[in-house]
Amino acid sequence: MNIFTIFGDPVAHSRSPLMHNTVFKALEIDACYTRTQLSDGAKLRDVFFAKALSGANVTVPHKETAYTQCDEVRGIAQEIGTVNTLILENDRLIGYNTDADGFIAAIQSFGQLSTALIIGAGGTAKALAIALQHHAITPTILNRSSGRLEYFKEKGFEAYDWETFTPRSFDLIINTTSAGLTDNHLPIPIELLTALLATSKGAIDVIYGKETPFLAEVKKVKLPYKDGSDMLLEQGVIANALFLKSTVSAQQIRPIMKRSFLY
Ligand code: NDP
């Protein structure tokens, strides 16, 4: 049996085991997906091999550490510097970032976009900024504090903190902060958000499974919006296809994995 897991801290809340096991069961694949609570990210590689895993996902806060522990990193993850999916290939650990492509798949429903404002400057913001740029959507970054902006400026993106930012029109407003996850905070001051929503075409929050204060404001002005569920699904579909060495297509996996969102 092939064993897969998700590494994270915390990891108890993760929907990934349900998502992947639903696919394995439906397709009668001899595989099992578990959770691994890991506080020391430096041990990730050793634990991966000790558990004789075939693959894994990586969540907060280990995506950057996981990147440094791979024998090879493929695709857009090389540019982003974080991985969320690990595959064992000929005894070598191969890293991928499926958050980036998962997000791009999730925003297709907004139609043609050419600009986006990313609120937040953490690991998810990095992945999304690079992914958007690859798809000819110009990202601008807006973060509470200036400390994390350097990465984005070095990549040639416009990046601001609350003090230096002046609202203007963006096609899509994206919340990648954890504001609203366990509290009722907005990711930016209400005056800024109101001005931004007045001229945008839509908004998305990467937090899933709840209406955040950010999405509640978007709803008030009747803009198209979505939470992070589609991104979660799409990154999982891409990861599952990698786990199954592309023997099953994303088109086959998607409707099955989607069923797990009903549980
Ligand atoms: P990080 O910890 O790397 O970054 C957090 C960012 O949020 C920082 O820019 C921080 O600003 C900002 N922030 C935190 N709290 C507040 C607040 N109260 N007000 C304003 N800004 C705030 O987190 P990640 O990028 O790894 O993850 C962010 C979110 O994305 C999480 O909620 C995670 O669950 C979600 N996620 C969802 C996925 C999906 O599939 N739907 C996939 C991946 C992530 P500062 O620099 O000032 O501290």
Side-chain angles (χ1 to χ4, degrees), residues 211-262:
E211 184 181 289
T212 57
F214 170 77
L215 286 187
E217 291 302 318
V218 178
K219 252 173 116 173
K220 280 186 202 163
V221 295
K222 299 189 168 33
L223 278 180
Y225 71 92
K226 57 170 64 176
D227 75 357
S229 300
D230 283 356
M231 177 183 174
L232 180 71
L233 171 68
E234 296 295 342
Q235 64 76 31
V237 168
I238 301 165
N240 196 270
L242 288 168
F243 292 156
L244 300 177
K245 314 271 186 208
S246 298
T247 53
V248 185
S249 71
Q251 286 73 17
Q252 286 171 278
I253 295 166
R254 186 175 294 106
I256 303 170
M257 191 175 272
K258 203 169 182 177
R259 273 189 243 142
S260 73
F261 283 67
L262 302 172

Side-chain angles (χ1 to χ4, degrees), residues 142-160:
L142 171 59
N143 196 40
R144 175 174 64 178
S145 56
S146 59
R148 302 195 207 211
L149 299 180
E150 214 44 49
Y151 168 93
F152 298 93
K153 289 180 180 169
E154 278 171 13
K155 298 263 180 202
F157 300 129
E158 282 186 52
Y160 303 93

Side-chain angles (χ1 to χ4, degrees), residues 13 59-61 63-64 84 99 119-126 142-148 162 175-181 183 185-188 205-208 227-233 235:
H13 68 286
T59 189
V60 179
K63 292 183 189 181
E64 282 171 2
N84 76 324
D99 285 335
I119 305 173
T124 307
K126 286 181 186 174
L142 171 59
N143 196 40
R144 175 174 64 178
S145 56
S146 59
R148 302 195 207 211
W162 292 359
N175 178 36
T176 71
T177 77
S178 37
L181 184 63
D183 54 42
H185 295 156
L186 284 169
I188 50 175
D205 200 323
V206 299
I207 294 171
Y208 53 85
D227 75 357
S229 300
D230 283 356
M231 177 183 174
L232 180 71
L233 171 68
Q235 64 76 31

Side-chain angles (χ1 to χ4, degrees), residues 119-174:
I119 305 173
T124 307
K126 286 181 186 174
L128 271 44
I130 305 283
L132 289 167
Q133 187 187 41
H134 276 227
H135 287 81
I137 302 170
T138 306
T140 297
I141 288 78
L142 171 59
N143 196 40
R144 175 174 64 178
S145 56
S146 59
R148 302 195 207 211
L149 299 180
E150 214 44 49
Y151 168 93
F152 298 93
K153 289 180 180 169
E154 278 171 13
K155 298 263 180 202
F157 300 129
E158 282 186 52
Y160 303 93
D161 61 24
W162 292 359
E163 302 301 315
T164 55
F165 180 73
T166 307
R168 61 174 200 264
S169 174
F170 296 94
D171 291 344
L172 186 68
I173 312 294
I174 307 161

